[in-house]
Amino acid sequence: MSRGWEMECVRRIEADVQRSADTHLVPMPWPGFPGITLYLKDESSHPSGSLKHRLARSLFLYALCNGWLREGRPVVEASSGSTAVSEAYFARLLGLPFIAVMPATVSVQKQRAIEFQGGRCHLVADPTQVYAEATRLAREGGGHYMDQFTYAERATDWRGNNNIAESIFSQMAREPHPVPAWLVCSAGTGGTLATLGRFVRYGRHATRVCGGDAEHSVFFDHYLTRDPALTLERGSRIEGIGRPRVEASFLPDVIDAMVKPVDAASFAAMRWLSSRLGRAVGPSTGTNLLAALACAREMRERGVQGAIVTLLCDSGERYRDTCHDLAWCQAQGMHDAALERAVHASLNGGAESPPWRLAGVLSAARSSS
Ligand SMILES: Cc1ncc(COP(=O)(O)O)c(C=O)c1O
């Protein structure tokens, strides 16, 4: 184990931080909700294109400082999406081979995005075997399995170090409502929600945290029941969020409310926001927007003004051939014109609720299942 090599790796990562600017916070007036301003934390502007740039950086520093990485040895991850793209970016920065283990059904576009960052894609026929295969490849290659689902909440410094929550609060400092009423994000590993929930408690802020969940995922029901054994036969249809099993980095005790819209509603919200911003956002940002909508409706009902901050997790450019292609959505049975109109009406301030489930402080009488 060469300490000199480890030190050089840490220097390179810190230099990468120094070269990079923080991601923007974009205010978006919400005409249907007077006195409530929505802010989008635009994580698509990171060098590797998504919120996972922060997590990948933290995971590499955590593994390095635990002495888990070896010069020239592979880093392996079980991921087909944003995390693999961002981890490939940092592996290349450190001169390490990177292998992303994923189901064989993953789109060529996503494989290209990982290969563009210098990574290699290892396909498996049975999606449930990705974790075991990643462990095997790391062991046989004398490398390290990064395991985002286990280490996301441990590797991230939730007290500061420019984590996403600290960045949001410092960028809100000169806004009319510097302390947001709500911070809103959906869960993939659960690491981002864990950081938001811990930071607001550590900072003694009155801000509440709301989590979004995908239709085919266990997080919402785990939040309701705390049953750790919940599983589902199938995976989520929203890239990056929703899980068929309860993940170690999902911490329900730091979440004040959850919102679970149907996937077609998340796609409708993704299109509503893309047209307002004049650029395409990813589907998990659509789920975030609907969770933020539930928070705005709760504030409007109580006659409260203030700020809601949610994440623009990644760009819609990655989904040109999938959820930003209406024919593809129709073919997947995930487009319904009437539902699309209803979701847009509610985002424009209308009284109708989108098809969603609510939990925590948002639930009470407002749940419309
Ligand atoms: C596009 C996208 N959105 C949201 C998330 C959720 O982030 P987290 O893993 O911190 O829960 C992910 C996670 O992979 C993602 O890729």
Side-chain angles (χ1 to χ4, degrees):
M1 183 166 52
S2 141
R3 287 292 294 278
W5 175 77
E6 285 170 349
M7 289 186 208
E8 169 57 13
C9 289
V10 172
R11 184 199 66 73
R12 286 188 194 180
I13 293 176
E14 295 303 311
D16 178 78
V17 176
Q18 190 71 21
R19 288 193 300 270
S20 310
D22 200 350
T23 55
H24 307 297
L25 188 65
V26 182
M28 213 188 79
W30 215 346
F33 298 89
I36 296 173
T37 304
L38 178 70
Y39 293 82
L40 300 166
K41 180 66 173 160
D42 183 2
E43 295 290 283
S44 72
S45 52
H46 279 295
S48 62
S50 85
L51 80 169
K52 290 293 158 173
H53 193 81
R54 292 179 196 271
L55 174 65
R57 182 168 58 214
S58 299
L59 287 169
F60 269 84
L61 284 171
Y62 190 71
L64 269 169
C65 298
N66 279 318
W68 293 343
L69 301 186
R70 298 272 177 284
E71 191 166 2
R73 297 292 175 166
V75 169
V76 186
E77 183 61 279
S79 163
S80 60
S82 317
T83 306
V85 174
S86 297
E87 287 187 12
Y89 172 96
F90 283 99
R92 179 159 61 182
L93 187 73
L94 305 186
L96 295 173
F98 177 75
I99 306 169
V101 180
M102 63 190 74
T105 51
V106 165
S107 75
V108 172
Q109 212 178 359
K110 262 183 264 160
Q111 295 180 42
R112 292 287 164 279
I114 295 163
E115 288 156 1
F116 177 79
Q117 296 289 351
R120 179 165 72 79
C121 299
H122 180 95
L123 308 182
V124 294
D126 176 355
T128 64
Q129 288 310 305
V130 288
Y131 314 106
E133 186 65 359
T135 307
R136 182 186 70 76
L137 283 172
R139 191 181 54 247
E140 289 178 10
H144 175 66
Y145 168 33
M146 202 58 102
D147 189 2
Q148 60 165 331
F149 295 104
T150 300
Y151 294 109
E153 58 88 8
R154 273 182 242 178
T156 305
D157 182 347
W158 49 270
R159 276 173 285 200
N161 226 338
N162 198 38
N163 66 46
I164 190 151
E166 185 182 55
S167 172
I168 288 170
F169 275 87
S170 71
Q171 291 176 323
M172 287 291 291
R174 298 210 176 125
E175 296 304 306
H177 301 280
V179 177
W182 287 95
L183 294 179
V184 180
C185 184
S186 300
T189 61
T192 304
L193 277 171
T195 302
L196 298 177
R198 287 166 165 169
F199 187 85
V200 294
R201 283 166 176 74
Y202 177 64
R204 290 176 268 123
H205 300 297
T207 307
R208 290 183 289 182
V209 172
C210 178
D213 197 14
E215 195 174 337
H216 299 289
S217 171
V218 298
F219 287 137
F220 184 91
D221 291 309
H222 175 66
Y223 180 77
L224 279 178
T225 64
R226 298 300 201 267
D227 175 359
L230 291 176
T231 58
L232 284 177
E233 286 307 308
R234 57 158 308 156
S236 166
R237 296 182 294 192
I238 308 252
E239 163 65 33
I241 63 167
R243 298 293 303 160
R245 65 178 197 182
V246 179
E247 301 292 357
S249 291
F250 180 74
L251 308 179
D253 297 333
V254 302
I255 301 172
D256 303 292
M258 285 205 74
V259 178
K260 184 181 177 89
V262 299
D263 291 341
S266 290
F267 287 161
M270 170 194 79
R271 282 185 277 274
W272 182 89
L273 184 58
S274 299
S275 67
R276 269 174 187 62
L277 286 178
R279 58 190 170 98
V281 304
S284 67
T285 305
T287 311
N288 290 352
L289 179 62
L290 289 179
L293 173 66
C295 299
R297 289 161 68 98
E298 185 257 353
M299 290 169 71
R300 184 175 65 181
E301 270 157 33
R302 288 191 296 126
V304 171
Q305 305 204 336
I308 299 173
V309 181
T310 192
L311 272 63
L312 194 168
C313 296
D314 63 355
S315 158
E317 289 312 313
R318 291 181 173 181
Y319 310 94
R320 278 270 160 246
D321 309 341
T322 53
C323 35
H324 273 288
D325 175 344
L326 221 46
W328 180 90
C329 292
Q330 276 149 356
Q332 308 289 321
M334 286 205 278
H335 177 67
D336 171 323
L339 183 148
E340 187 101 4
R341 280 193 300 278
V343 168
H344 289 199
S346 51
L347 284 165
N348 292 329
E352 198 176 332
S353 300
W356 57 19
R357 294 171 64 198
L358 305 178
V361 296
L362 288 177
S363 66
R366 290 178 208 88
S367 174
S368 68
S369 46

